[in-house]
């Protein structure tokens, strides 16, 4: 089966610009996650969707970050305006009821560099 | 609240010697525990998971981990390291449904 797809793989922007990342989860996976992984740290959950509803966005900086999953499949994560400290790898993952929601499958991530 | 502590930021071993990556967790409930591996410029890959079944869990590539509730530990081991094992390893804890918290990671360095 196809894995979690993310694009772009790499992005370089100037601070105060906006950027968007796209994620296509594994087919049929109802749960989708966005993580931020800063260099040298473990991934930090930004937001979790169940179908098109938000389950947890407590660590999402809502003044600049937004995410949506309008049809319960693909998702986009946006940063506007970007700051230097947003430089990180943004990981998307998905999980399914069939797997008991006990593990997530990760995409390769989008590496964002803010200069 | 759940949390996980990876006790070593770097572990260095020689090829063919045993590997031990340490992880302690904190959880209010019976947790699920996971180990993921991340090779450079690659996605996260699940090595193994514990979800309240057998306390000794076997994973891929010869890795295993033992859940010890009394010690709140879930250490990852491998009898003999291979050069291809060099990577970043993450211990993950999750309570209830999969709402995971990652540790900071342990970098495994394997010397020839």
């Amino acid at each position: 089966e196809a894995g979690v797809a993310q694009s772009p793989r790499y992005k370089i922007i100037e601070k105060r610009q906006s950027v968007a990342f796209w994620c296509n989860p594994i087919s049929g996976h109802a749960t989708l996650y966005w993580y931020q992984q800063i260099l040298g740290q473990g991934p930090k959950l930004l937001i979790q969707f169940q179908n098109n509803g938000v389950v947890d966005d407590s660590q999402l900086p809502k003044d600049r970050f937004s995410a949506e999953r309008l049809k319960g499949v693909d998702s986009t994560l946006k940063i506007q305006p970007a700051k230097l400290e947003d430089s990180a790898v943004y990981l998307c993952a998905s999980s399914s009821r069939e797997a008991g929601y006990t593990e997530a499958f990760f995409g390769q991530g989008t590496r964002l560099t803010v200069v | 609240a759940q949390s996980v502590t990876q006790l070593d930021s770097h572990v260095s071993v020689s090829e063919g010697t045993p590997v031990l990556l340490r992880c302690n967790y904190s959880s209010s409930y019976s947790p699920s525990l996971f180990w993921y591996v991340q090779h450079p410029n690659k996605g996260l890959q699940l090595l193994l998971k514990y979800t309240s079944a057998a306390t000794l869990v076997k994973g891929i590539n010869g890795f295993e981990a033992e859940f010890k509730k009394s010690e709140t530990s879930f250490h990852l081991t491998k009898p003999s390291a291979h050069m291809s094992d060099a990577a970043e390893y993450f211990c993950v804890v999750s309570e209830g449904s999969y709402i995971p918290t990652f540790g900071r990671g342990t970098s495994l360095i394997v010397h020839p």
Side-chain angles (χ1 to χ4, degrees):
Chain A
E1 77 186 347
V4 176
Q6 290 188 248
S7 66
R9 287 294 311 279
Y10 304 93
K11 190 75 176 178
I12 300 175
I13 62 171
E14 295 182 349
K15 59 183 179 183
R16 292 187 289 274
Q17 286 187 323
S18 63
V19 64
F21 313 127
W22 174 82
C23 173
N24 185 13
I26 293 173
S27 177
H29 281 199
T31 306
L32 185 147
Y33 314 82
W34 282 103
Y35 285 86
Q36 180 193 57
Q37 185 177 16
I38 293 172
L39 186 64
Q41 299 181 18
K44 181 184 81 171
L45 181 68
L46 291 176
I47 189 167
Q48 178 183 352
F49 291 95
Q50 182 73 15
N51 297 308
N52 60 352
V54 175
V55 174
D56 183 354
D57 64 355
S58 57
Q59 297 195 81
L60 187 73
K62 299 180 185 64
D63 58 334
R64 297 184 300 106
F65 285 65
S66 65
E68 60 183 14
R69 194 184 184 201
L70 292 175
K71 297 182 179 179
V73 181
D74 294 5
S75 177
T76 56
L77 176 70
K78 297 179 182 178
I79 307 175
Q80 183 179 9
K83 294 184 176 182
L84 295 176
E85 59 260 37
D86 298 331
S87 294
V89 175
Y90 291 85
L91 296 165
C92 180
S94 67
S95 66
S96 70
R97 180 188 304 170
E98 286 70 30
Y101 297 115
T102 58
E103 70 174 279
F105 298 84
F106 285 82
Q108 289 193 291
T110 296
R111 183 178 298 276
L112 174 67
T113 303
V114 182
V115 298
Chain B
Q2 61 189 28
S3 66
V4 61
T5 302
Q6 292 186 242
L7 298 167
D8 307 291
S9 59
H10 297 84
V11 170
S12 182
V13 301
S14 297
E15 190 174 21
T17 63
V19 175
L20 170 63
L21 305 183
R22 299 183 294 164
C23 172
N24 287 114
Y25 70 91
S26 173
S27 175
S28 303
Y29 306 98
S30 296
S32 296
L33 293 157
F34 309 79
W35 277 98
Y36 282 86
V37 61
Q38 187 176 41
H39 288 92
N41 298 314
K42 297 285 183 65
L44 285 159
Q45 180 183 20
L46 180 69
L47 276 178
L48 49 80
K49 64 180 179 182
Y50 165 78
T51 55
S52 76
T55 56
L56 182 63
V57 182
K58 294 187 183 299
I60 61 172
N61 300 334
F63 285 95
E64 63 181 38
E66 186 171 8
F67 173 70
K68 292 187 176 181
K69 186 175 181 178
S70 61
E71 299 176 10
T72 61
S73 70
F74 190 59
H75 301 334
L76 181 70
T77 60
K78 182 174 181 178
S80 176
H82 192 273
M83 294 296 292
S84 60
D85 294 328
E88 192 81 14
Y89 291 79
F90 294 97
C91 182
V92 179
V93 64
S94 177
E95 296 175 344
S97 295
Y98 190 83
I99 305 177
T101 299
F102 279 73
R104 291 178 62 90
T106 297
S107 179
L108 176 63
I109 302 161
V110 183
H111 299 286

